[in-house]
Amino acid sequence: MAETDEYQLLGLGLCFEDLPLGRKFRTIGRTLTEADLVNFIGVTGMTEVLFSNTEFLREESDIARRVVPGAMVYAFAEGLLVHATMQHTGFAFLNMELNVAGPTFAGDTIHVECEVVESRRSASRANRGLVRTFNTVKKQDGAVAITYNPLRMVKARSAAD
């Protein structure tokens, strides 16, 4: 339910009708902390020395700073988008292509810039739409960290006429 009495409920996602071809938006920023990195590699088992061993970084790696796994950058980007666009309206993640453009480090702040590049009513479910966005994850200095293009099934406000 979108409204209760005279109070509008905030925090609900965007419906299919809100995502026409060409729409652009961006999320708020989120700093990826050292604690985030430690928790992420612990819970996922991504304990590769590049992420978990500062002696390796100092003595053997070409990267001297605490690098963050691309999977973590993607996961946090998706978290930013869930809060901004998908609560109660995102029904399925169908596919994507993902490219890591450059390293992200603990202490970097990311945000996601999205452009709707495909938007069509579902042929099999009249109360759903299929929306593909081109998502660019950028760091605080404007450098691109990751790009990806998810196709999602999204709730429509009404069935197709």
Side-chain angles (χ1 to χ4, degrees):
M1 181 180 334
E3 300 201 17
T4 305
D5 300 321
E6 73 268 17
Y7 294 96
Q8 180 182 9
L9 179 61
L10 299 179
L12 297 180
L14 301 174
C15 290
F16 169 70
E17 294 87 350
D18 301 320
L19 297 166
L21 188 64
R23 180 167 183 190
K24 295 179 180 182
F25 54 91
R26 67 170 281 188
T27 67
I28 62 171
R30 167 71 156 84
T31 301
L32 305 177
T33 67
E34 179 80 18
D36 294 329
L37 173 59
V38 170
N39 288 326
F40 185 84
I41 64 175
V43 79
T44 62
M46 291 182 142
T47 56
E48 179 181 343
V49 293
L50 191 59
F51 310 132
S52 62
N53 186 327
T54 56
E55 290 299 312
F56 173 82
L57 291 176
R58 183 173 27 262
E59 295 179 14
E60 296 185 49
S61 175
D62 292 337
I63 301 172
R65 296 173 55 200
R66 291 283 286 188
V67 68
V68 172
M72 180 176 148
V73 177
Y74 163 73
F76 276 63
E78 282 291 284
L80 290 170
L81 286 167
V82 165
H83 288 288
T85 67
M86 291 182 259
Q87 292 291 352
H88 291 258
T89 60
F91 287 121
F93 184 96
L94 302 173
N95 76 4
M96 75 169 176
E97 181 179 313
L98 181 142
N99 295 294
V100 177
T104 305
F105 302 100
D108 280 343
T109 299
I110 62 167
H111 72 271
V112 187
E113 296 177 358
C114 299
E115 179 178 358
V116 177
V117 295
E118 179 182 348
S119 184
R120 59 188 162 89
R121 188 70 68 160
S122 170
S124 62
R125 310 242 355 232
N127 62 343
R128 305 284 189 264
L130 298 173
V131 177
R132 183 180 302 278
T133 55
F134 185 80
N135 299 350
T136 303
V137 182
K138 289 188 174 179
K139 301 191 312 181
Q140 69 279 355
D141 62 1
V144 175
I146 289 179
T147 60
Y148 64 105
N149 62 345
L151 177 64
R152 305 178 199 274
M153 182 175 285
V154 179
K155 178 182 177 180
R157 280 193 199 86
S158 60
D161 296 326

